[in-house]
Amino acid sequence: MKGYVTNIERATLENDSYRKVLYTGKNSQLVLMTIQPGDEIGRETHDLDQFIRLEAGEALVTLDGVEHRIEDDWAVVIPAGTEHNVVNTGKEPLRLYSIYSPPEHKDGTLHATKADDAEEHFDGVTTE
């Protein structure tokens, strides 16, 4: 297989895991996330670019101290070096997908809940 094809909306809406890496290429990575009501990713800064698209829910996204209220069908581009956080402000799970460029997590990473979240940074191994 060269590349990855999926119905991203369906995959995102059906995902119940906090983090699920779907595909890791040499230069980018596709990850699903589900954040429970009142929960958050937590403030972080990456040395890479990140794209997030919400498929369901409401969130408060903070980029270098500037807050943005967003909901399903909104996208966020987070340039490398930007401190950011995503907080689920709704009453339902927040479902999103993210594209990291280059990859951020080990291929195949699966965290069922936020409590399972462990530092599993990309180790150079791709899906193919």
Side-chain angles (χ1 to χ4, degrees):
M1 174 173 80
K2 292 288 184 186
Y4 183 79
V5 177
T6 191
N7 179 325
I8 192 64
E9 182 176 15
R10 183 182 317 138
T12 304
L13 293 175
E14 291 176 353
N15 175 55
D16 288 323
S17 298
Y18 175 71
R19 177 176 291 116
K20 182 178 182 180
V21 174
L22 292 182
Y23 181 84
T24 304
K26 179 181 171 187
N27 297 304
S28 63
Q29 182 175 61
L30 178 60
V31 178
L32 304 178
M33 291 190 77
T34 297
I35 302 169
Q36 297 303 316
D39 210 348
E40 63 185 277
I41 292 174
R43 287 189 304 175
E44 59 185 7
T45 305
H46 302 299
D47 293 328
L48 50 81
D49 292 337
Q50 183 177 8
F51 167 90
I52 294 174
R53 178 177 158 91
L54 271 63
E55 290 293 345
E58 302 171 5
L60 177 66
V61 174
T62 306
L63 304 173
D64 280 341
V66 179
E67 295 182 343
H68 306 271
R69 294 202 176 275
I70 64 174
E71 57 191 30
D72 55 306
D73 298 332
W74 283 65
V76 179
V77 176
I78 306 168
T82 302
E83 183 182 77
H84 60 281
N85 193 10
V86 177
V87 180
N88 181 347
T89 58
K91 296 180 180 179
E92 301 295 326
L94 180 66
R95 298 181 192 278
L96 61 91
Y97 66 88
S98 182
I99 300 171
Y100 295 93
S101 184
E104 169 69 2
H105 304 284
K106 280 186 175 180
D107 188 53
T109 294
L110 178 64
H111 299 135
T113 68
K114 185 176 180 187
D116 298 328
D117 188 13
E119 291 294 322
E120 297 180 42
H121 291 289
F122 181 59
D123 58 3
V125 178
T126 62
T127 302
E128 328 186 51

